[in-house]
Amino acid sequence: MIRTIAIANQKGGVGKTTTAVNLSASLAAHNRRVLLIDVDPQGNATMGSGVNKNALEQSVYTVLLGEAGLLDARVKAQGGFDLIPANRELAGAEIEMVSMPDREIKLKDAIHTLKAAITAVADQYDYILIDCPPTLNLLTLNALCAADSVLIPMQCEYYALEGLSDLVGTLRKMQQHLNPTLEIEGLLRTMYDARMSLSQQVAAQLEQHFGSKLFATIIPRNVRLAEAPSHGLPALLLDKASKGAQAYMQLATELLAKHEEAK
């Protein structure tokens, strides 16, 4: 059964895109059919998957405006998964949807556009991952409406911990008003540096407060993870023996085991 997972955090720089690209490649390496949807106007997941965001004929922008279907915009990514790419055109999608006639009705319809598009291709994939922008806007709302669950990457630092309560509050509002079945897939500790006592303290607090919702896998700070986007490759293809690539393979294994157990 297909699982749609939004990768989201209102705080920027926590490893959302790194997680989206590398988890997609790792799930594909486990012989799962994966579609990654980039809904961030920066298009970093697109570039990190080896696709030139400046040479797109179709993108998630045209999908959200109803000018193309997901299959029309689909491209092959480096790493064995499919991609719905994005570029800076996407930043104009919100403005165009807001300025449509009958704005209130159109806006409500627009929020569910992505879910309808995903439903149409659900039989072709085992996992659909959605890379969200670092803000709560109409694009993020689309992603959260379309998702079964949310994977939350976060650094083990004080400010990230502070922002987590805001994000949990946002998800509760989503459950109340737009997607009652939305759940937290899990919290993922990223950019972890075991040499820092603060990282250890925050990790311990997360274990205490979130228990089973916290992934056992921890993503370390790793040079290969940082270098991979400049090559347009997931870390798994750049250096599969690197600690970063191995950590995301472990995350994929943990995620698959969790879903097998839930069946």
Side-chain angles (χ1 to χ4, degrees), residues 34 55-56 58 63 88 93 118 141 150 161 174 186 194 200 220 222 226 235 243 249 252 256 259-260 262:
V34 181
L56 301 177
Q58 302 285 358
V63 172
R88 294 201 178 276
I118 286 173
L141 287 178
V150 185
L161 199 58
M174 284 294 303
Q200 297 172 19
N222 181 251
K243 290 183 179 179
M249 281 294 285
L256 291 169
H259 294 158
E260 283 296 320

Side-chain angles (χ1 to χ4, degrees), residues 89-180:
E89 276 190 336
L90 187 56
E94 283 188 291
I95 298 170
E96 293 185 46
M97 286 189 281
V98 168
S99 62
M100 288 176 178
D102 301 319
R103 184 171 77 91
E104 292 78 9
I105 298 172
K106 290 288 186 183
L107 204 58
K108 184 177 179 181
D109 291 344
I111 288 174
H112 295 279
T113 299
L114 193 59
K115 186 174 182 64
I118 286 173
T119 301
V121 300
D123 62 332
Q124 299 190 30
Y125 295 100
D126 300 305
Y127 283 92
I128 295 179
L129 305 184
I130 310 174
D131 185 33
C132 298
T135 181
L136 183 63
N137 56 17
L138 189 55
L139 300 172
T140 306
L141 287 178
N142 258 283
L144 295 179
C145 275
D148 300 308
S149 60
V150 185
L151 191 159
I152 306 170
M154 62 172 296
Q155 287 180 261
C156 291
E157 60 177 29
Y158 177 74
Y159 287 124
L161 199 58
E162 283 286 291
L164 183 59
S165 60
D166 294 336
L167 179 58
V168 171
T170 296
L171 295 179
R172 283 186 185 137
K173 290 177 182 176
M174 284 294 303
Q175 290 168 330
Q176 291 170 3
H177 302 291
L178 291 170
N179 187 356

Side-chain angles (χ1 to χ4, degrees), residues 2-137:
I2 189 170
R3 183 83 174 172
T4 302
I5 303 173
I7 300 173
N9 192 326
Q10 288 164 279
K11 189 178 186 305
V14 297
K16 287 188 300 296
T17 299
T18 297
T19 296
V21 172
N22 287 285
L23 180 56
S24 294
S26 297
L27 287 169
H30 280 79
N31 298 314
R32 297 308 192 273
R33 301 169 300 165
V34 181
L35 175 66
L36 172 59
I37 303 177
D38 188 354
V39 296
D40 188 342
Q42 296 178 87
N44 290 335
T46 297
M47 297 293 281
S49 301
V51 176
N52 185 355
K53 67 181 180 182
N54 299 313
L56 301 177
E57 293 184 10
Q58 302 285 358
S59 68
V60 72
Y61 168 77
T62 51
V63 172
L64 286 172
L65 290 183
E67 297 173 3
L70 275 182
L71 297 184
D72 301 318
R74 180 175 60 180
V75 296
K76 285 290 180 184
Q78 295 287 343
F81 57 93
D82 290 342
L83 172 74
I84 306 299
N87 56 23
R88 294 201 178 276
E89 276 190 336
L90 187 56
E94 283 188 291
I95 298 170
E96 293 185 46
M97 286 189 281
V98 168
S99 62
M100 288 176 178
D102 301 319
R103 184 171 77 91
E104 292 78 9
I105 298 172
K106 290 288 186 183
L107 204 58
K108 184 177 179 181
D109 291 344
I111 288 174
H112 295 279
T113 299
L114 193 59
K115 186 174 182 64
I118 286 173
T119 301
V121 300
D123 62 332
Q124 299 190 30
Y125 295 100
D126 300 305
Y127 283 92
I128 295 179
L129 305 184
I130 310 174
D131 185 33
C132 298
T135 181
L136 183 63
N137 56 17

Side-chain angles (χ1 to χ4, degrees), residues 181-201:
T181 61
L182 183 68
E183 61 183 30
I184 294 177
E185 186 69 48
L187 278 74
L188 176 67
R189 290 163 287 185
T190 61
M191 304 180 199
Y192 184 81
D193 189 341
R195 298 169 300 178
M196 296 178 60
S197 59
L198 178 61
S199 294
Q200 297 172 19
Q201 291 167 12

